[in-house]
Every structure is written in structure tokens, then in C-alpha cells.
Amino acid sequence: MSNELVINSTQNGGRIALLRDKSLVEFHYDTHSGNFVVGDIFLGVVRRIIPGLNAAFIDIGYEKDAFLHYLDLGPNFRSLQKFVRIAQNSKLDKADLKDFKMEPPLDKLGKISDVLKVNQPILVQVVKEPISTKGPRLSCELSIAGRHLVLVPFANSVNVSKKVTDSAERKRLIRLLSSIKPENFGIIVRTVAEGKDIADFEKDLDELLGIWQKGVEKLHTARPREKIIGEMGKANSMLRDMLNETFDSITVDDREMYEEIKAFIRNIAPEKEKIVKLYTGKAKIFEAFGIEKQVKLLFGPTVSLPSGGYIVIEHTEALHVIDVNSGNKSVSESNQESTAFAVNMEAATEIARQLRLRDMGGIIVIDFIDMKSPEHKRMLYEHMKAEMKSDRAKFTILPLTKFGLMQITRQRVRPELNISTLERCPTCNGTGKINASISVADQIESKIDYILTRQNERGITLVVHPYLYAYFTAGWPSIRLNWFFKYRRWVRIEKDSSLGVTEFHIKNQHDQLIEL
């Protein structure tokens, strides 16, 4: 099984696609304007305390105040607040907690009004991005994630990921990390640390302590609502969390990002540096890898299954609903039960992919086709668990109910990715009235004639929808070849499926758009 990461750099950030065996399984936008990313640590200000909810609203600079529940303060909240006070009074000359005197733990059954006061500064971490009408969700149990470890200030325990199931390996990891753990810092050992030696852990730990040190230095002069420690970019954080021996290609179309990712991989996994490649092709990178087409096919309300069935995905404020339909599959199986089972198994595979692809979180209800056989229901349940095993988000799957419904809860830390696959007509801008689509070829020929004869341009490139690309290049002699005979200049033609059928661009030899 091959894993490829394809990164398209844009003016507003980048688009990141994870391909598994050429099939799109994750799609992310990494925008420069994303100021509230899961993992970011802010110096917030308490704005309101709500005793009825045992919670407070914190101002961290977002248009809506962020939510902080009493249970998310963590047992060591008093120690954190004491540290922040000392740091802000510039009475702290080092960031380690070796000689720091910890405060008594917080009472789990306490009240937030006894701990927080309005206008009080507070160090918080984003655990959920703003979703719908809600602001960010916060926690005071700070953590800084690395390649193999997660550093937890003001804690003292060493915990190992539950996905590391071998008891001997768990004991080995706890023993190793306990020997190098700094005082008053806790450590969570990630799944990827399985089998690693102490040199890897020491390197990771040094980097995490360096990040903490820089954050504390910033805290000395920080003003309210200022970001103290920021999570790394989406591409690097994905590589940090996922890079393993199954990764065989990382392709980037921007040299600056290429150098950044190469340096990052050189640091965390030097043996993988050679898999980073700079894309220099003429076509857009997502077009060349077939990603643009997959996005168009996979993000609509209806998603087709390979053998004829389809699923319908609807989003509401409270939950996501997925309906499974057999379509024309019903003619290919011997009876109704086997048809339902075959479509449901195929749908489960696609649904597991869609949950990751759209990053759908919260409650998901799936209406599978009714099946009578208890064995088929059990097999479908086991199949769904197996398909979702590689999902990095936390999830819970319940067996089918007697009505054929499956309920899934999936960790929700950011809004689901919802890409509109409907194309608005570039000619009418949605009014519903356009010139005859057949006339677009005449428009293009007219503009080509003007550019080549009046403006005397050379080396021009025509970018069109694949249908028009075929129209201009197919046959003998093709329309493009006739242009060459007429103007004695070759016109390059590129296809771009992100364009509408009646949309086109013409670029000069410097790859700049020609405005007419």
C-alpha cells in the first residue's frame, strides 16, 4: 500500500492531498489566515463566568469568545496560573520546572467561580476550532506534540498510547522515558515511538523543551489575546503524525515549501529525505495527479459506488446523515439479501473514506439497506471497524440497530470540509441564461487571431476544459494544426478540469494571463 502526499501552494496557503494507492483519502486547506488551529496556545482573558454551566468564556481574539469548562482546567491549573504570574512579572530566568514548587491539585467537584475572576489573564490551548456559530473550545491542560512524544507541562506521569498493545514494549517505553523525563513535566508516548531507542526520544524531547522555552520567553512580554505557542503548518503536522515506512512520495509545486519540508524531514526522519520531490510540470499539480477530478466526484451530496450503488450525505447542525442505496446493483446479485449485503459492505468502505476526507465529526448516523441475516449484520459491523482502523481521529462505532441504522461518534475538532462541486456558469454568473455553449470555440478562435495578428504574441498557451481540449486537438488535421498553418506559430493547449466548459484562459510565454 503506497502513501503519497501532494501539496499545491497557493497565494492564500496551500491544498494538501493524501493519496493511498492513488485514491484520495484526506484533503486539507492550509490557510495563512487560520489563526485558531488545534494545538495553539494563547494568553487569554476571562470575559464571563457562567456558574450554571460551570464554565467561562475566554477572549483569545476570535470574534466570539472561546468556551472553557471547569473540567478542562485540569488538576494542575493552580500551578499553571502561578507559573504565568511569575513569568509575566519577569521573575523567571529559565523555563524548566526543576525547582518550581507545584500547587495542590484542583478539586474535581469544584466551581469555576471559585477559581477564575473576570479580566484575569489565563494560558489556554485550543482543542476545538470554531465550528458553525460556536467559538473555539479551550483547555488549560497544555501539551506540545512532537514526532514520538507529547510534552505535558505541570504533570509527572509517563503514559503510552493505547494503540501500543504489547505489554513488554509498553514497560520498556515507560522505563526509558522515566529515565529522561524532566521534573514537573509529563510525557505521552505516541504510537509511532514503538521500537524506537532512547536517542530518538532525547532528540524529540530537546526540541519540545526548546518550543516550551521560546513560549515562556514570549510570555514575559505577551499582551492579552496573543499567541504564545503556535502549532506547525498543516503539511508538517501531517508528516510529523503520519510519516512512516509506507510513505513513498511527497510532491510539492513550490520551491520554498519544498525546501521547508525537506529540512523538516531531514530533522525527523533523515532516511526519508529522498522521497521529497519538486514538481516542475506544465500542468497544475492537482490536475497531473488526477486529484482535481477526484475532488469533483467525491465532495458532492451523492457519491457513487464502483458497482452501481450510491450513498447520499446530508449535514445538519446536530449530526451527519448518510443513506445507502443499491441503485442498479440490484440486477447483479442472486437475491435481495445478497444484494443488500454486497452494497452495504462496499458502502462501508466508501463511508470510512468519506469521514476522513470531509473530516466529519460529532454524531454520524448511517441508514444501511435492511438485512435479515444476523451474521451479515455482524460482518458489516466488523468490516466498518476494520476500515476505520487507520483513522487518526478518535471514534466509537455501535452495532446495527434493528432498523438497520449504524451510529458512529467521531472526534470533532474542526468544521467538516464541505466543497461545492456545482459549477456556476462563468458567462451568466448564475442567472441561468448564457450564449450557446457551441459558440465558445468561435470566441476562442477570435481571441487567438487577435492575439497572434494584432498583438504579435509568441509562445502563447490556451487553458481550457478537457472537452474543449479534445475538440481543438483531435482529428487530422486538428484545429490547432490549422492555426499553425495559418499563423506560423504553435499554440500550446492545456486542459484544466477545474474550469467550466465555457471558461478559458490565454497566457503569454511568461505564463501571465493575457487580459482582453
Side-chain angles (χ1 to χ4, degrees), residues 131-368:
I131 297 173
S132 185
T133 58
K134 301 171 184 174
R137 177 80 182 252
L138 305 177
S139 172
C140 290
E141 295 189 87
L142 309 182
S143 62
I144 306 170
R147 170 84 169 136
H148 303 104
L149 311 173
V150 178
L151 186 69
V152 186
F154 310 102
N156 271 304
S157 59
V158 175
N159 297 305
V160 181
S161 166
K162 291 178 182 177
K163 292 183 180 179
V164 179
T165 54
D166 183 78
S167 59
E169 177 63 9
R170 292 179 69 86
K171 289 176 183 175
R172 184 188 77 90
L173 291 170
I174 290 173
R175 188 180 69 253
L176 283 180
L177 270 304
S178 297
S179 67
I180 63 171
K181 183 186 76 65
E183 190 176 341
N184 292 326
F185 282 98
I187 288 176
I188 300 170
V189 187
R190 308 186 72 172
T191 311
V192 73
E194 196 169 2
K196 301 296 181 183
D197 58 34
I198 197 164
D200 294 311
F201 300 141
E202 286 178 333
K203 180 182 176 185
D204 214 15
L205 189 57
D206 286 343
E207 289 178 3
L208 295 175
L209 288 170
I211 294 171
W212 173 251
Q213 172 75 42
K214 289 178 182 175
V216 172
E217 289 171 2
K218 193 169 184 180
L219 195 56
H220 288 322
T221 56
R223 301 180 68 82
R225 297 180 291 278
E226 191 170 335
K227 188 185 293 186
I228 306 300
I229 297 175
E231 176 63 82
M232 62 178 63
K234 193 70 183 176
N236 284 350
S237 65
M238 284 182 70
L239 289 171
R240 178 195 66 197
D241 296 346
M242 299 179 62
L243 188 65
N244 55 35
E245 63 280 355
T246 65
F247 257 82
D248 51 22
S249 175
I250 300 167
T251 312
V252 192
D253 64 354
D254 176 75
R255 179 164 290 279
E256 187 178 339
M257 188 176 284
Y258 164 76
E259 297 293 348
E260 179 188 332
I261 289 175
K262 201 165 184 180
F264 178 72
I265 291 184
R266 191 184 304 127
N267 186 37
I268 67 165
E271 72 282 359
K272 285 285 182 183
E273 186 183 348
K274 61 182 181 296
I275 70 172
V276 187
K277 302 165 189 171
L278 179 64
Y279 177 77
T280 55
K282 292 292 183 184
K284 291 179 180 178
I285 186 169
F286 272 25
E287 195 70 38
F289 280 79
I291 298 168
E292 206 74 66
K293 182 180 179 182
Q294 289 193 58
V295 169
K296 288 284 181 76
L297 293 174
L298 294 172
F299 277 92
T302 302
V303 180
S304 299
L305 302 175
S307 60
Y310 62 94
I311 60 175
V312 181
I313 303 173
E314 296 288 344
H315 308 285
T316 72
E317 181 73 18
L319 48 79
H320 308 280
V321 182
I322 302 175
D323 185 35
V324 180
N325 295 282
S326 61
N328 58 16
K329 170 73 177 172
S330 55
V331 299
S332 62
E333 299 290 343
S334 57
N335 60 62
Q336 185 176 345
E337 178 71 15
S338 58
T339 296
F341 178 65
V343 175
N344 285 341
M345 293 289 276
E346 199 173 52
T349 301
E350 181 60 37
I351 289 167
R353 177 192 183 193
Q354 287 288 332
L355 297 185
R356 284 184 69 183
L357 192 59
R358 304 184 189 217
D359 206 4
M360 291 159 59
I363 301 171
I364 300 111
V365 178
I366 307 166
D367 182 11
F368 284 106

Side-chain angles (χ1 to χ4, degrees), residues 303-497:
V303 180
S304 299
L305 302 175
S307 60
Y310 62 94
I311 60 175
V312 181
I313 303 173
E314 296 288 344
H315 308 285
T316 72
E317 181 73 18
L319 48 79
H320 308 280
V321 182
I322 302 175
D323 185 35
V324 180
N325 295 282
S326 61
N328 58 16
K329 170 73 177 172
S330 55
V331 299
S332 62
E333 299 290 343
S334 57
N335 60 62
Q336 185 176 345
E337 178 71 15
S338 58
T339 296
F341 178 65
V343 175
N344 285 341
M345 293 289 276
E346 199 173 52
T349 301
E350 181 60 37
I351 289 167
R353 177 192 183 193
Q354 287 288 332
L355 297 185
R356 284 184 69 183
L357 192 59
R358 304 184 189 217
D359 206 4
M360 291 159 59
I363 301 171
I364 300 111
V365 178
I366 307 166
D367 182 11
F368 284 106
I369 302 171
D370 288 340
M371 297 184 295
K372 301 280 192 250
S373 167
E375 179 63 14
H376 283 168
K377 291 180 180 180
R378 186 194 64 78
M379 289 172 67
L380 177 61
Y381 172 60
E382 295 297 332
H383 180 65
M384 178 60 87
K385 287 200 295 185
E387 288 294 323
M388 289 192 68
K389 193 174 181 180
S390 60
D391 197 329
R392 289 181 294 146
K394 296 175 184 175
F395 60 86
T396 303
I397 306 174
L398 297 182
L400 269 72
T401 68
K402 64 180 180 180
F403 297 121
L405 301 177
M406 180 179 286
Q407 299 162 72
I408 299 175
T409 60
R410 186 174 181 273
Q411 185 181 21
R412 188 185 196 196
V413 296
R414 58 183 62 86
E416 73 275 2
L417 185 59
N418 197 10
I419 298 174
S420 175
T421 57
L422 300 176
E423 294 180 0
R424 187 168 69 171
C425 169
T427 307
C428 75
N429 286 321
T431 62
K433 296 180 180 179
I434 63 170
N435 296 327
S437 56
I438 198 169
S439 70
V440 70
D442 294 335
Q443 293 176 36
I444 291 171
E445 291 205 52
S446 173
K447 292 186 185 300
I448 292 286
D449 181 78
Y450 182 84
I451 289 168
L452 295 181
T453 57
R454 300 289 185 88
Q455 296 188 184
N456 203 28
E457 290 276 0
R458 294 180 178 275
I460 67 170
T461 301
L462 173 64
V463 186
V464 292
H465 188 277
Y467 290 164
L468 283 171
Y469 175 87
Y471 175 75
F472 287 122
T473 57
W476 176 265
S478 65
I479 294 175
R480 176 169 57 176
L481 197 58
N482 284 331
W483 290 345
F484 178 72
F485 293 148
K486 181 177 180 180
Y487 303 112
R488 295 296 170 187
R489 291 174 203 169
W490 186 251
V491 177
R492 287 187 68 253
I493 304 180
E494 291 179 3
K495 51 186 172 183
D496 185 349
S497 56

Side-chain angles (χ1 to χ4, degrees), residues 58-76:
I58 314 296
D59 182 8
I60 60 170
Y62 187 63
E63 59 191 39
K64 292 201 171 186
D65 290 338
F67 182 80
L68 175 67
H69 193 271
Y70 178 81
L71 294 176
D72 291 322
L73 294 176
N76 299 305

